[in-house]
Amino acid sequence: MKRYLHAYGMCRSMFCAIPSPYQGWDEDARPLMLLFLPLVGLEMGFYWALGGWLCRFLGLPQLVTGLVIAVLPYLLTGKIHLDGFLDVTDAVGSCRSLEKRREILKDSHVGAFAVIGCVLLMLSAFAFGCAGQGSTWIFCLVTVVSRCCSALAVTVLRPMATSQYAGAFREGIRRGHAVILAVMLIAALTAGFVFCGRQGFVLLGGLAGYGLALRKGFSSLEGMNGDISGYALTLSELAALAVWAVI
C-alpha cells in the first residue's frame, strides 16, 4: 500500500502544477505511477470545468470564458504535455529521415513547425471555448479519458530506447496494469453517457483524437516516449473541445 501512495504522490507532483504536499521519490514505485494518471486527470478536469463554470456564473464576457477554457488545461499541468506537443510537431513536420526526426525530437530549441502548431492549437482551443454553450462539467471526464489513453499507450506500445519508459521502468510494468487502465477508460466513457447524456460524445471525440495523433506520432518516430504521449494527449483534449463546441 505504501508503494501505491508513493506512486500517487509522485504522479501528481510530476504531471500537475498544483502544489503537492508529497515531495518524496521512490524508484521502485515509479512503474505504478501510470495507474494514478487518470486520477490526477480527474482532479485537473474538475478545476478546468470549475473555471469555465465560474466564468459563466459571474457573467464574464464570452471571449474571457473562451480564453479561460482554452488556457486552463496547460496552466494546470505546468505545460508539460504542451512541451511534448511542440517537440513532436517539430520532428514530424520536418519530414526528414528517422534518425534526424529523433534528433529533432530531443533538440531543446523550438522550430518553426512547433511555433506554427502552437499558434494553431491555441487559436483553435480559444475558438472552441468561445463557441461552446454546453455544460463544462464534462471536462472532468475529458482529462480522465486522455490520461487513460496515455497510460495505456505507454504501457502497451514499444518504447524508444532513449525513452524514460524503457529499461527498468518497462520491466516494472505488469500485464494487469493495462487491464486496470482499460477498465478505467471504459468506466469513464460509460459515465459520460450515463451522467451527461449526449455530451458523452465529447469523450468519444477525445478518444478518436488521441488515436489519430498517437498513430501519427508513433509511426513517424517508430517508438513511444513521453513526448508522443503529451502530443497525443494535447490533441485528444482539443478534439474533445471541438466536439463540445458543436453538439
Side-chain angles (χ1 to χ4, degrees), residues 55-197:
C55 287
R56 291 177 174 178
F57 179 77
L58 296 172
L60 298 181
Q62 188 67 18
L63 291 177
V64 175
T65 302
L67 179 63
V68 170
I69 290 174
V71 304
L72 203 53
Y74 309 114
L75 298 179
L76 289 169
T77 59
K79 299 173 283 295
I80 185 172
H81 303 302
L82 183 60
D83 176 70
F85 170 81
L86 296 175
D87 289 340
V88 175
T89 300
D90 253 347
V92 173
S94 69
C95 298
R96 307 286 290 277
S97 66
L98 174 61
E99 181 181 356
K100 187 62 178 178
R101 289 197 299 271
R102 288 186 171 181
E103 182 181 330
I104 293 172
L105 183 69
K106 294 301 180 183
D107 192 341
S108 60
H109 296 88
V110 178
F113 291 110
V115 173
I116 295 169
C118 187
V119 170
L120 292 176
L121 175 72
M122 292 302 176
L123 286 176
S124 299
F126 176 64
F128 296 144
C130 291
Q133 299 298 320
S135 171
T136 61
W137 293 110
I138 190 65
F139 296 165
C140 294
L141 293 175
V142 168
T143 48
V144 173
V145 168
S146 64
R147 282 155 181 77
C148 280
C149 291
S150 281
L152 271 171
V154 170
T155 300
V156 175
L157 297 179
R158 181 186 72 257
M160 295 182 193
T162 56
S163 171
Q164 61 176 318
Y165 299 119
F169 183 95
R170 190 73 178 181
E171 294 172 2
I173 295 177
R174 301 290 178 261
R175 290 183 179 180
H177 292 180
V179 175
I180 294 172
L181 291 166
V183 170
M184 289 181 182
L185 176 59
I186 293 171
L189 294 171
T190 303
F193 283 99
V194 171
F195 296 107
C196 302

